[in-house]
Amino acid sequence: MRTVIFRSIAPYLTSLMVLFSIFVLLRGHNEPGGGFIGGLIAASALAIYGIACGVAPVRRAIYFHPMAIAAFGLFMSGMAGVLSVFASVPYMSGLWIYPHLFGVEIPLSSVLVFDVGVYLVVVGAISSIALALEERDRD
Amino acid sequence: MSASAPGTTFIVLMLPFLAALIAPWLTRRLGHNAAWLLALAPVAIFIHFLGFSADVADGGVVTGGFQWVPSYNVSFSWLIDGLSLTFALLISGIGALIILYSGGYLKGHDQLGRFFSFMLLFMGAMLGVVISDSFLMLFVYWELTSITSFLLIGFDHTREASRRAAIQALVVTGGGGLALLAGLLVIWNITGVSQVSLLLSYGDELRGSPFYLLALFLVLGGAFSKSAQFPLHFWLPNAMEAPTPVSAYLHSATMVKAGVYLLMRLNPVLGDTVWWETILPVFGGATLIVGTLLAIRQTDLKLMLAYTTVSSLGLLVMLTGFGSEHAIAAAVLYLVAHSLFKGGLFMVAGLIDHEAGTRDVTKLGGLRKAMPVTFIAALAGAISMAGLPPFLGFLAKEEIYYALWATDPWSLAFVAIAVIGNGLMFVIGFAVALKPFLGPEVKTPKHAHEGPALLWLGPLTLGAAALVAALISPVTHRFISSPMASAIAGAPETVTISVIPHMGPALILSLVTIAFGIIAYRMLDRLRAGMAWLLSAIGWGPDRGFDQFISGAVRLSVAVTRLVQPGRLDVYMTVTFLMIAAALIGPMAWYGEWPAMPVWPEDAQFHELVVAAIVLIGLAAVIYARDRLTAIVSLGIQGFAVALIFMLFGAPDLSFTQFMVETLAVVILALVMTRLKLHASDHRPTLQKIIDMSVAIACGGGFTLYLLAVTQQPFNTALSDFFAAYSKIVAHGANVVNVIIVDFRGTDTLGEIAVVMVTGLAILSLIRIRTPRSTVADNDPDRRPGQAVVESREVR
Amino acid sequence: MEPILAMLVGALFTVAIYLFLSKHVIRILMGAAILGNAVNLLIFTAGRVTREVPPIIPGDADALTGAAANPLPQALILTAIVISFSFFAFLLVLGYRAFQELETDSSDDMRVAEPVGDKTPPAGY
């Protein structure tokens, strides 16, 4: 699997896939996509990178332990629900704000925070599994 | 009826439990002197209930409580009348003395705090039994007495005999409690009321019901097991493994009387029938005789007393069964008298054991000089037990004979039983009270001397109480006997008997009893030898039967476990899937609701059929794959085909997710499988394959039929419509699927991603746990495949 | 289209269960993967199928109008796919580790929890 061509294009492929996954994540509310799919795409990107170049570069590249990323995502999703406390509405009620940035209206919401949390959990957990299995491949 | 001071009564009912909570702490601070403080709890209860006595003596009934589970009409309510008041006074009064006695008896024991705690718990439970008005509360407290009794009997849990006795008591009385629950539910069902106070007016309805006998037998099962009626008597003598305070309190004065209490309580509604008036006297009489005969055989002071307790309980049941006015009066007097003298005598036995180091009656003698106070207390108990004036026992026995005396053969038989029983109890009473104290001094394991006040205070007080109660009999009758007898009879009754004997058959029978007792006392050793011979000739008894029952139960459960848990995964799976197939197909077959024969969908398009065919091809390839890689790839093919189906039917989100997942699944499957030396091909025998295939087809066919049936029903679109309508307006999202996931059902999703996270953690830890292969695995020549190396693990 | 999908679901279940009943860990694993698909397709079909119109509200509309696929089963299945994948991975690793420890891939030989010839419990008190 670790051919020169594969090794050379893998970083670019991975970056593209991660970018695409974020795109899928963000458009998920109105078009097909969302945290689960985005997370899976990013996780496969990391898995591909791991197969091509070994696990160590992947771990270096994502800097955090994948499980830590997943844990942070879970925390983020949970907290997205807690945000509704400040608006005196029940847990997990969606909240929306529309700040204007450079003249463009950007809809931000607690739901988006939640979806990003889902994304991080899926990326973290699945890539952690994949990386752990790939690591075992070499010992 | 008046409902006074409900709050106070509730607090009083909870008081023993609160005291039990602080008992260990208090004992750690104060040692055995904590008894003085802890005894305040029962004293307070005693005083509280004493406050009701004037009211109750005038025929009043105090009820109180609150709703517990209103939807089921279950209340936490209590009923204080003559019967429950007398019991409550006995429980709290004797309880206070027992707590003090325990402090002296177990002084320096490192588990004393625990012991106090158990004792107080039991006190609270017992109080609850006699005070309860609602059936369920009665049952809960009833079982609580069984459990606390289990804890107390097994207090010395390092000895096997203790453990056995505790389990035995729990099985017998706890099982009886279940019978009682069933009986109470039957009564509840017949009458529609769940409170004792309301039940009293339903007597005729209950007696006329076709389920009367069922209710009666179930209630009797509970009462007889608790009150140790023959042939369920065996647990009570074994319970003497408990420390003596337990025996004195639970197994003579209070708990064992719970069964008698129940019979007395239900006498107005269940009694007055041929069944009641036959079963109770017969079993009671048999218990009376068997108990005394077995008591004769014993040489251990506690066991002698325990067997006479059995016989006394038999006497009480017998009297309750007769149900006549005098029989009830006799039962009341005897119950009170018995609690006083038997509790006292048990404490004396414990005191002798504590001071002399043995309680074997043949190894004791001449203690009267060393232990004069104990001797007086013992004498008081024995006189009352023997039914001699001027103690309460005398009143009870006079009333018994008065009640039983008649000239028909049935009554005469019971008179004879009572005379023999009372005569033998006379013997035991004096054997316990005189034998260790009179005669030449015998060398005992410990040098005997008078015990501390904590120890002799209890028996002396109880002896004095029995004396005073008899001497001021009009007061006793007014406040205790008459109200209690009225409650049992369900009609006003007055008890009048006094210490001054008056001529009549009762007095003659008393004299006969005493004469018989004196003769038997002189022949005690010979009687004992005779009984010992008789029992060894019989050999088998219910006690041994219990052992056989328990070991049989263990063997049965082992056999059943072996049968249903053969330890083979394929067996479990086969059974599971057969059940699933049955659950799917069974209802359709039973109700004949098969789905209509499906028609070929006209609109099915070619490419859709091709995709479905790809799924099938993928499945077939998985089954027939000769090597691993083919199997994995085929698995991927069927997964991608399923993703295509999602795509074709308007589910792009699902489709993408499925694609990603299948890709990842194939990758990690390949990663793992290439490292395993596994047989990819199936080598089950053909017959096994056919069986497995039939199970699989039954199950899969079941799902098809089920799905066909479902899709042929009209579809309820309410939920989907809701999401479709509000997705954009309320949640500002156009992709309805995503809105459902992250917004409408967000909390669900939170749980689901938590699951994903946890599986990730589990996988990581599975991978990281390693067995050191070099040490055990390779050097052990006997190691077979499938044998685990689980002894040593290291986590990296 | 539902009848065809119903039969497809039946086929998926049949194969999954047939694989489950074989005693080899690897085949059981593949059965588990197929079973996940079977269940997802079952839910999907039970929610009725519509062709090619995803449940996405057009830009100018406020609500989903006209014929579109049922969004509810899709939402259920979407999370189910991810969860069944994580469990599949867990089973995979479990089977792999069991193979490493016990040196067998046959479930019949894995008798650590329920050993053959287990001792009877003590009969005393």
Side-chain angles (χ1 to χ4, degrees):
Chain A
M1 293 287 263
R2 303 180 75 176
T3 60
V4 176
I5 300 174
F6 190 33
R7 258 206 325 256
S8 317
I9 62 163
Y12 304 102
L13 185 64
T14 303
S15 338
L16 273 176
M17 282 176 78
V18 170
L19 264 182
F20 179 65
S21 76
I22 294 170
F23 166 70
V24 167
L25 159 71
L26 292 181
R27 73 174 209 151
H29 218 53
N30 294 312
E31 300 288 328
F36 278 107
I37 308 170
L40 284 168
I41 294 171
S44 2
L46 296 176
I48 288 171
Y49 192 23
I51 291 170
C53 306
V55 174
V58 184
R59 290 205 191 276
R60 268 201 308 280
I62 57 176
Y63 190 75
F64 298 104
H65 190 281
M67 246 19 241
I69 296 177
F72 179 72
L74 189 59
F75 178 73
M76 202 168 154
S77 291
M79 283 302 121
V82 174
L83 280 182
S84 56
V85 165
F86 301 109
S88 311
V89 285
Y91 184 68
M92 280 281 176
S93 302
L95 299 173
W96 293 78
I97 50 170
Y98 301 93
H100 288 268
L101 205 67
F102 308 115
V104 183
E105 190 190 60
I106 302 173
L108 290 181
S109 64
S110 64
V111 175
L112 185 67
V113 177
F114 183 84
D115 216 6
V116 172
V118 172
Y119 172 86
L120 291 178
V121 170
V122 175
V123 176
I126 307 267
S127 62
S128 146
I129 296 167
L131 292 180
L133 287 171
E134 283 168 15
E135 224 160 18
R136 304 273 300 143
D137 207 13
R138 279 156 193 84
D139 62 18
Chain B
M1 285 200 191
S2 65
S4 73
T8 328
T9 302
F10 180 72
I11 293 169
V12 160
L13 282 178
M14 291 300 125
L15 198 57
F17 296 106
L18 297 177
L21 267 182
I22 61 161
W25 175 78
L26 215 55
T27 311
R28 212 173 310 137
R29 283 294 176 83
L30 300 176
H32 74 283
N33 285 322
W36 294 104
L37 277 180
L38 290 171
L40 289 178
V43 167
I45 298 168
F46 186 81
I47 292 169
H48 175 78
F49 282 112
L50 214 52
F52 290 109
S53 53
D55 204 2
V56 169
D58 294 335
V61 175
V62 185
T63 56
F66 47 83
Q67 286 289 308
W68 191 3
V69 188
S71 50
Y72 286 101
N73 194 20
V74 174
S75 58
F76 189 95
S77 55
W78 51 85
L79 165 73
I80 301 168
D81 62 357
L83 179 57
S84 44
L85 183 65
T86 306
F87 264 98
L89 290 175
L90 282 175
I91 292 163
S92 51
I94 299 180
L97 297 173
I98 291 285
I99 292 289
L100 294 178
Y101 182 79
S102 310
Y105 190 81
L106 288 175
K107 181 178 170 182
H109 194 289
D110 54 354
Q111 300 284 352
L112 181 58
R114 197 160 66 105
F115 186 78
F116 279 138
S117 202
F118 289 167
M119 274 303 219
L120 288 161
L121 280 179
F122 166 76
M123 190 186 296
M126 190 63 210
L127 208 55
V129 168
V130 297
I131 291 296
S132 293
D133 190 17
S134 109
F135 286 173
L136 280 189
M137 193 174 140
L138 173 67
F139 168 73
V140 168
Y141 277 122
W142 180 282
E143 290 294 49
L144 207 53
T145 60
S146 296
I147 293 167
T148 45
S149 151
F150 167 78
L151 292 172
L152 283 166
I153 298 170
F155 181 70
D156 193 4
H157 55 81
T158 50
R159 287 188 308 122
E160 187 181 343
S162 273
R163 294 198 297 272
R164 174 172 182 267
I167 290 172
Q168 200 173 50
L170 186 68
V171 168
V172 175
T173 61
L178 293 181
L180 171 67
L181 175 66
L184 290 176
L185 290 178
V186 171
I187 293 177
W188 190 349
N189 200 23
I190 295 172
T191 61
V193 295
S194 65
Q195 277 166 313
V196 175
S197 51
L198 303 175
L199 189 66
L200 294 178
S201 52
Y202 286 89
D204 290 331
E205 201 171 315
L206 205 55
R207 281 186 286 264
S209 160
F211 297 109
Y212 167 75
L213 270 188
L214 180 65
L216 178 67
F217 287 148
L218 288 170
V219 167
L220 289 186
F224 282 7
S225 62
K226 198 76 158 184
S227 281
Q229 295 300 295
F230 180 80
L232 296 175
H233 64 280
F234 55 90
W235 70 267
L236 181 55
N238 286 338
M240 295 304 124
E241 293 296 338
T244 305
V246 178
S247 312
Y249 192 37
L250 275 70
H251 304 124
S252 66
T254 57
M255 187 184 86
V256 289
K257 298 229 170 64
V260 177
Y261 164 81
L262 186 72
L263 297 177
M264 290 177 164
R265 179 52 90 198
L266 295 175
N267 179 49
V269 286
L270 286 179
D272 203 19
T273 63
V274 177
W275 287 97
W276 181 271
E277 289 177 358
T278 310
I279 297 174
L280 263 63
V282 166
F283 273 90
T287 310
L288 171 59
I289 292 298
V290 169
T292 44
L293 288 178
L294 290 171
I296 293 288
R297 143 109 183 70
Q298 304 301 328
T299 58
D300 182 317
L301 290 176
K302 271 179 80 178
L303 282 177
M304 292 160 79
L305 291 172
Y307 279 107
T308 56
T309 305
V310 171
S311 49
S312 299
L313 293 167
L315 182 58
L316 284 170
V317 168
M318 185 174 119
L319 291 169
T320 310
F322 277 113
S324 68
E325 197 174 317
H326 283 288
I328 288 173
V332 166
L333 286 170
Y334 191 73
L335 189 141
V336 176
H338 177 258
S339 292
L340 297 177
F341 71 67
K342 195 55 72 66
L345 283 176
F346 262 113
M347 289 196 247
V348 166
L351 189 47
I352 294 172
D353 186 18
H354 196 258
E355 298 304 327
T358 179
R359 46 173 207 252
D360 188 332
V361 75
T362 57
K363 294 184 183 133
L364 289 163
L367 289 174
R368 68 184 179 283
K369 286 216 185 68
M371 306 171 74
V373 188
T374 314
F375 182 42
I376 293 170
L379 218 49
I383 293 172
S384 192
M385 180 166 170
L388 297 178
F391 283 82
L392 198 56
F394 172 70
L395 300 189
K397 204 183 57 184
E398 289 293 288
E399 192 72 38
I400 291 169
Y401 288 140
Y402 202 75
L404 292 181
W405 178 254
T407 45
D408 57 301
W410 172 259
S411 302
L412 279 178
F414 282 103
V415 169
I417 287 174
V419 169
I420 294 172
N422 273 329
L424 291 177
M425 277 200 262
F426 177 102
V427 173
I428 303 293
F430 281 110
V432 171
L434 295 182
K435 191 80 189 6
F437 295 99
L438 300 181
E441 273 185 53
V442 177
K443 188 152 172 46
T444 49
K446 273 159 82 177
H447 181 66
H449 52 80
E450 193 54 76
L454 274 175
L455 285 180
W456 50 253
L457 192 65
L460 209 58
T461 313
L462 291 182
L467 179 63
V468 172
L471 291 179
I472 54 164
S473 59
V475 181
T476 313
H477 293 330
R478 169 158 162 69
F479 288 104
I480 300 285
S481 323
S482 299
M484 184 167 165
S486 309
I488 298 169
E493 252 195 53
T494 318
V495 183
T496 50
I497 192 151
S498 70
V499 199
I500 300 129
H502 39 111
M503 287 307 292
L507 188 64
I508 296 167
L509 286 170
S510 281
L511 293 175
V512 171
T513 308
I514 293 166
F516 173 68
I518 291 171
I519 295 167
Y521 183 74
R522 316 210 42 162
M523 296 166 54
L524 184 57
D525 288 336
R526 245 178 296 167
L527 278 175
R528 181 180 294 143
M531 274 311 294
W533 175 83
L534 183 65
L535 286 178
S536 61
I538 295 172
W540 191 87
D543 194 28
R544 193 172 301 170
F546 179 82
D547 281 347
Q548 289 161 348
F549 167 73
I550 290 291
S551 70
V554 170
R555 277 201 300 275
L556 180 70
S557 63
V558 168
V560 170
T561 310
R562 293 250 162 94
L563 184 70
V564 299
Q565 293 193 358
R568 286 176 51 201
L569 187 65
D570 50 327
V571 175
Y572 300 154
M573 294 255 205
T574 308
V575 173
T576 307
F577 287 119
L578 277 177
M579 294 320 281
I580 290 174
L584 287 167
I585 300 175
M588 286 191 234
W590 182 260
Y591 295 106
E593 291 181 353
W594 300 102
M597 191 64 197
V599 289
W600 184 256
E602 295 299 325
D603 58 343
Q605 304 195 356
F606 181 67
H607 61 274
E608 293 166 0
L609 297 178
V610 169
V611 173
I614 294 175
V615 175
L616 292 178
I617 291 166
L619 290 176
V622 169
I623 291 182
Y624 290 108
R626 292 248 164 243
D627 61 285
R628 289 189 300 271
L629 209 58
T630 320
I632 296 173
V633 170
S634 318
L635 191 68
I637 289 175
Q638 89 33 71
F640 287 130
V642 171
L644 274 178
I645 291 179
F646 288 142
M647 178 66 95
L648 290 175
F649 292 98
D653 284 320
L654 293 192
S655 185
F656 294 155
T657 314
Q658 175 83 6
F659 270 119
M660 297 315 304
V661 159
E662 286 301 331
T663 315
L664 280 168
V666 168
V667 168
I668 65 167
L669 204 52
L671 280 176
V672 171
M673 287 237 258
T674 46
R675 268 172 289 153
L676 297 188
K677 295 176 183 60
L678 298 181
H679 313 282
S681 65
D682 192 355
H683 43 218
R684 279 176 279 186
T686 313
L687 178 67
Q688 187 65 43
K689 277 186 180 171
I690 291 170
I691 293 173
D692 290 351
M693 191 49 106
S694 334
V695 173
I697 288 176
C699 217
F703 274 107
T704 300
L705 288 173
Y706 163 74
L707 194 50
L708 282 174
V710 166
T711 48
Q712 282 165 8
Q713 300 294 317
F715 184 57
N716 181 348
T717 58
L719 264 180
S720 310
D721 290 345
F722 169 83
F723 291 126
Y726 292 107
S727 173
K728 189 135 181 193
I729 303 171
V730 178
H732 310 287
N735 182 357
V736 184
V737 177
N738 189 263
V739 170
I740 294 176
I741 291 176
V742 297
D743 202 333
F744 286 127
R745 310 283 311 151
T747 315
D748 268 4
T749 311
L750 186 64
E752 279 152 1
I753 55 178
V755 171
V756 172
M757 164 107 196
V758 169
T759 46
L761 282 174
I763 290 170
L764 275 194
S765 31
L766 262 181
I767 291 178
R768 300 264 160 95
I769 297 171
R770 295 282 187 88
T771 311
R773 314 200 121 234
S774 53
T775 50
V776 186
D778 299 342
N779 299 341
D780 184 359
D782 297 333
R783 189 158 182 272
R784 289 178 284 116
Q787 194 180 8
V789 187
V790 287
E791 293 84 8
S792 54
R793 288 184 173 277
E794 67 175 24
V795 179
R796 259 200 336 208
Chain C
M1 197 58 200
E2 277 95 353
I4 294 175
L5 286 182
M7 286 174 201
L8 203 57
V9 167
L12 283 164
F13 269 110
T14 307
V15 172
I17 291 164
Y18 181 67
L19 289 171
F20 262 150
L21 291 175
S22 78
K23 300 180 180 82
H24 298 285
V25 170
I26 271 301
R27 296 176 74 84
I28 294 174
L29 268 172
M30 294 196 289
I34 295 175
L35 192 71
N37 285 340
V39 173
N40 289 341
L41 212 53
L42 175 83
I43 298 173
F44 190 66
T45 314
R48 308 300 190 272
V49 289
T50 321
R51 282 195 182 78
E52 286 162 8
V53 189
I56 292 173
I57 300 168
D60 49 353
D62 274 344
L64 205 55
T65 47
N70 187 353
L72 184 60
Q74 294 193 22
L76 297 178
I77 296 168
L78 187 60
T79 47
I81 291 176
V82 178
I83 287 185
S84 59
F85 171 69
S86 16
F87 272 101
F88 170 71
F90 176 73
L91 284 177
L92 181 70
V93 174
L94 190 65
Y96 174 57
R97 296 288 302 149
F99 174 76
Q100 280 188 328
E101 298 288 327
L102 309 176
E103 293 177 2
T104 175
D105 70 330
S106 166
S107 65
D108 268 2
D109 292 336
M110 297 184 176
R111 299 299 294 263
V112 180
E114 294 167 284
V116 189
D118 203 2
K119 278 199 287 290
T120 51
Y125 293 92

